Amino acid sequence: MAQTVTETAAAESATKVSALRRLHHHAFPVADHEVTRQFMEDILGIPLKATWCERSERGAVDPEAEAMPDEWQVTKQGTDFCHTFYELADGGAIAYFQFDGPNKNLVGSTNIYYHLALETDQAGQDGIHKRLLDRGIQHHIINHGYVTSLYVTSPDGLLFEFCVDPEFVDEIREIRTASAHDDLKRWLGGDHTVNNQWRGTPPEIFPGRSLYDPPAK
């Protein structure tokens, strides 16, 4: 039976390497840059590489302002803000904004399905785990089978995941890549059969203080 155009395109895409080479940066608003710096550098070991001191100039004098999406219009003209970049080993970065004035509390809480996952090796994950234990900071570790992850929430509510691949990661990748489109089509069609035969152990909880204090509603 001949393949459809969609199926052919999907098959071809499975063999391609994305032209999007790496994470450039992931941005998130924070309430206190210094508290964030301590979390990023002192606990996670990700160095601060750039600090940009900026002022928002988009407003009535900008003829393009009206064409911008409403959700982008969150700062008034003349709002001062500071934009920091913490660099990963591949050159990508995790970036943060702190605002001055009425926009300073743009920080939002997250849930477990909104998170930032970073790859590391076992020594890297162990180092973060030890520093969290030494400081009495709450976190947990889950063996998902296809990856073992350490989770910790930042001072402003961004959930970080630090992933260590198993030794047989290439075998897992080959199996899942071969069936990725079929698995998605099956699930969307109503067949929700679990296909993670490597599923690991339940979460290992390490109690302690939380760095994130959600704002009162």
Side-chain angles (χ1 to χ4, degrees):
M1 182 176 179
Q3 286 185 314
T4 65
V5 173
T6 301
E7 289 173 335
T8 301
E12 291 177 351
S13 70
T15 64
K16 293 180 179 177
V17 176
S18 173
L20 301 176
R21 297 184 299 273
R22 61 172 175 82
L23 174 73
H24 186 280
H25 71 275
H26 177 285
F28 194 74
V30 298
D32 187 329
H33 265 319
E34 175 54 21
V35 171
T36 297
R37 188 208 60 74
Q38 293 173 17
F39 175 71
M40 294 296 291
E41 289 197 307
D42 300 345
I43 296 176
L44 303 187
I46 306 175
L48 174 65
K49 287 293 187 176
T51 298
W52 296 93
C53 302
E54 303 272 15
R55 178 168 295 127
S56 175
E57 300 297 344
R58 293 196 177 274
V61 299
D62 187 340
E64 299 297 323
E66 293 302 319
M68 293 174 63
D70 290 342
E71 60 268 26
W72 287 26
Q73 304 284 348
V74 294
T75 58
K76 295 180 179 179
Q77 182 181 358
T79 297
D80 291 327
F81 64 92
C82 185
H83 194 18
T84 56
F85 287 79
Y86 294 82
E87 191 171 85
L88 304 175
D90 69 353
I94 303 168
Y96 297 98
F97 290 96
Q98 182 178 338
F99 297 92
D100 187 40
N103 300 110
K104 64 182 180 180
N105 293 321
L106 287 173
V107 179
S109 61
T110 66
N111 61 61
I112 63 171
Y113 296 104
Y114 178 78
H115 60 270
L116 179 62
L118 301 174
E119 181 187 13
T120 186
D121 56 19
Q122 192 59 60
Q125 188 184 81
D126 289 345
I128 293 171
H129 177 48
K130 182 179 185 304
R131 291 191 292 274
L132 292 170
L133 288 175
D134 289 346
R135 291 167 171 80
I137 297 171
Q138 175 183 315
H139 61 289
H140 62 282
I141 296 176
I142 302 177
N143 179 0
H144 297 286
Y146 58 88
V147 71
T148 298
S149 302
L150 181 154
Y151 297 89
V152 61
T153 303
S154 80
D156 292 283
L158 177 59
L159 181 61
F160 276 80
E161 175 184 359
F162 299 94
C163 307
V164 177
D165 289 331
E167 293 181 357
F168 50 94
V169 64
D170 290 338
E171 174 188 344
I172 293 175
R173 184 178 293 115
E174 182 177 353
I175 292 172
R176 283 282 71 86
T177 298
S179 65
H181 292 90
D182 288 340
D183 290 338
L184 178 59
K185 184 176 181 180
R186 170 181 64 78
W187 194 93
L188 292 173
D191 180 357
H192 294 175
T193 303
V194 173
N195 69 351
N196 182 4
Q197 61 265 44
W198 302 279
R199 192 72 183 183
T201 56
E204 187 175 3
I205 308 298
F206 298 90
R209 63 186 176 90
S210 173
L211 296 176
Y212 177 57
D213 183 19
K217 294 183 178 179

